Amino acid sequence: MQNIGTDFKMRVYSCRWGHRDNYTLTKTENGWIVKTMKYKGIESDKHASPGIEQAFRSESISFPQDIGYFISDIWDASQTKSQEEVQSYFDELAEWISKYEESKPNFSALSL
């Protein structure tokens, strides 16, 4: 198995904080360990579940519902691809999630 124990980074924009936060996914034999500043290691499956959803929800980050399928595809690709190639997939995924997060409406200015 290739890339076991390798850390891959995702820098995802947070509307809540107004900057990009770091998410680390470490490949395991059965999936990923998801780490953030708040979470030091959530064991997750190939879809990065429950870790990635828990991490994003705790920071109020909107993300596509099918994110796990893309992360699972990256896990599969990591079996034969170089660390650099796999990181490039995570970079692309982080950009997509960031655009998703940035495009959500902001209703906080409404007085209800």
Side-chain angles (χ1 to χ4, degrees):
M1 287 205 178
Q2 194 164 321
N3 291 306
I4 298 293
T6 302
D7 288 345
F8 297 100
K9 307 288 185 197
M10 287 199 314
R11 291 186 43 78
V12 176
Y13 182 78
S14 166
C15 288
R16 179 180 183 186
W17 302 113
H19 60 77
R20 288 183 181 249
D21 290 323
N22 294 312
Y23 297 84
T24 302
L25 286 88
T26 304
K27 184 179 176 189
T28 67
E29 288 186 23
N30 299 313
W32 305 98
I33 295 175
V34 178
K35 297 178 235 168
T36 68
M37 287 189 67
K38 186 184 244 183
Y39 299 108
K40 300 305 176 198
I42 304 170
E43 294 226 13
S44 301
D45 62 16
K46 291 180 185 180
H47 295 87
S49 183
I52 203 70
E53 296 98 339
Q54 185 175 343
F56 286 159
R57 285 190 183 109
S58 73
E59 295 300 328
S60 301
I61 292 179
S62 296
F63 58 94
Q65 183 177 3
D66 56 353
I67 190 71
Y69 294 107
F70 291 93
I71 295 175
S72 177
D73 286 347
I74 294 172
W75 192 96
D76 290 340
S78 73
Q79 297 289 78
T80 59
K81 303 292 183 182
S82 71
Q83 182 177 346
E84 293 77 20
E85 287 174 295
V86 175
Q87 183 59 59
S88 74
Y89 301 146
F90 276 113
D91 293 344
E92 187 174 345
L93 190 61
E95 279 304 310
W96 180 46
I97 297 166
S98 294
K99 287 178 185 175
Y100 196 91
E101 168 72 0
E102 290 173 321
S103 70
K104 71 181 176 185
N106 181 358
F107 297 121
S108 64
L110 299 177
S111 57
L112 303 174

